Amino acid sequence: MKSRTLALLAALALTVACAAPSPAVDTAKPVKIGVAGAHSGDLASYGLPTLKAAQLIVKDINERGGINGRPVELLIEDDVCKPEIATNTATKLVSAGAHAVIGHICSGPTRAALPIYRAANIPVVSPSATTPSLTQGGEYPNFFRTIAADDAQARTQVDFALTTLKAKKIAVLHDKGDYGKGLAEYARDFITASGQAEVVLFEGVTPGAVDYSAAVQKVKRSGADTVLFGGYHPEASKIVGQMRQKRLTTHFVSDDGVKVDTFIQVAGKDAEGVYATGPADVSQNPLTIEYREKFRQAEGTDPGAFFDNAVAATLALTNAIAKAGSTEPKAIAQALRTEKVATPFGPISFDAKGEPVGIGFSIYQVRDGRYVQVQ
C-alpha cells in the first residue's frame, strides 16, 4: 500500500510540477484559482471541507514548484450557500482575475453564479452541485463536477426504497430549492413510472422553519411507509425528530445533503436508522488515505461532506492546467475532458457535458451514531 501511494504521488508531482512550461507563459505570475462555497452559516459543514481540500493540494503543488513553474494562489469567497450572495461572490472572483474556480457547493448558488463565469469564460469544477440541468442543459459548457447528478441519485434512492425496503406508499418531501425540489421531482417520476409503489404525498417545506409538524402530520395521514426527502441537514434533522415524536416508524431516505456528520450531531438518537445517498466509500484508495490523514493532522478531526469529491475536483483542475500548459480557458476545458487524473475515486475524466466518468452513488445508513455504507 505504501509503495503504491508513493508511486501515485510521484506521478502526480511529475504531472503538476514538472510539465514543461509554455514559452509564452510568464512564470512569475501566479495561477489564480477561486474557491467558492459556504464557509460560514448553517451549511458551512459542506463548504469548509472543500476549502481545506483545495488548500492542502495547493500547498503540496507549491512545495513542488507550482504548476509549470507558476505558484498557485487561492482566491477564497464565501457564498453562505445563498444564490443572491453567490452572484456577488462570482463577480469578485472574476474581478480578482481567477483563471478557474472550484465550487460552488450548493446547486442554487452554482446556478446563480454560472452566467457570470460563462460571460468571463472561466472554467468551473464543483465537487457537489448535483442539479442535472447545470450540465445537461448545455448552457454552461465550461462547467464540470466531480459528483454524479441528481437524476442518478434519485434513481439510486428509488431503487433502494422499492427493492430493499419494499416500499408501497411513499411520501416525497423537499425544501423547495433547486437541489432538493429537483431531486424530489426525479424521485416522484421514477416511483410513478415503476408502477411498484404510490406517491401518496408530494410536499415542499420552508427552509429555516422551526416547526414542520404540519408536514409530518400529512405524512402520518397519508399512510406512507417511506419518506423520501430532498434537501439539506437542518430541515431533515427537524423533520426526523418530529416524526419520531409522533412515533412514526416510517423509513426516512434522503440525499447527500443529509449524508453529513452534522445531521447526526443535530438529530442525535433520532438519526438512527436514517438512510442517505452519497458517493461510494473510497476509504481504501491511496489518495483518499493520503489527504484524509493530512486533513486530520491539520484540523484534528475527520474531514466532512464532499471532501473526497473536492480532492478530486482540485486534482482534476490543477492537472488540466498543467496539461494545457496555460491558463487559457478552452485549453483547460479540453484537458479536463481528455486527460484522466488519479483521484480518490480512481482515474476520472469528464464527458462532453462535464459529467464525471467513473463516479456514482451508494446507500448509507446511520448505525450507532455514524453512517455505514449498506449498498
Side-chain angles (χ1 to χ4, degrees), residues 258-342:
V258 173
K259 199 265 166 183
V260 56
D261 288 343
T262 309
F263 166 74
I264 300 174
Q265 294 163 8
V266 174
K269 61 181 177 57
D270 294 327
E272 285 294 311
V274 164
Y275 297 97
T277 42
D281 181 3
V282 294
S283 58
Q284 299 308 304
N285 182 290
L287 284 174
T288 304
I289 295 169
E290 174 75 13
Y291 282 103
R292 287 187 184 180
E293 182 56 31
K294 287 180 184 230
F295 184 97
R296 293 185 191 103
Q297 291 175 4
E299 303 297 317
T301 186
D302 288 332
F306 309 119
F307 178 79
D308 298 324
N309 300 80
V311 169
T314 308
L315 291 174
L317 182 57
T318 52
N319 176 72
I321 294 171
K323 292 291 189 179
S326 76
T327 52
E328 199 278 320
K330 287 185 179 180
I332 296 173
Q334 178 66 11
L336 283 166
R337 293 189 177 95
T338 58
E339 299 287 346
K340 286 193 174 182
V341 61

Side-chain angles (χ1 to χ4, degrees), residues 202-279:
F202 187 83
E203 183 85 4
V205 300
T206 302
V210 175
D211 184 8
Y212 293 114
S213 59
V216 171
Q217 188 62 32
K218 288 182 180 180
V219 171
K220 185 175 182 178
R221 287 200 301 266
S222 74
D225 52 51
T226 302
V227 169
L228 261 63
F229 175 71
Y232 297 105
H233 72 81
E235 290 69 43
S237 60
K238 294 175 186 175
I239 292 170
V240 168
Q242 290 171 24
M243 285 175 59
R244 301 316 178 216
Q245 287 174 12
K246 291 185 179 294
R247 302 187 183 280
L248 287 178
T249 57
T250 313
H251 293 299
F252 192 90
V253 182
S254 195
D255 47 46
D256 56 352
V258 173
K259 199 265 166 183
V260 56
D261 288 343
T262 309
F263 166 74
I264 300 174
Q265 294 163 8
V266 174
K269 61 181 177 57
D270 294 327
E272 285 294 311
V274 164
Y275 297 97
T277 42

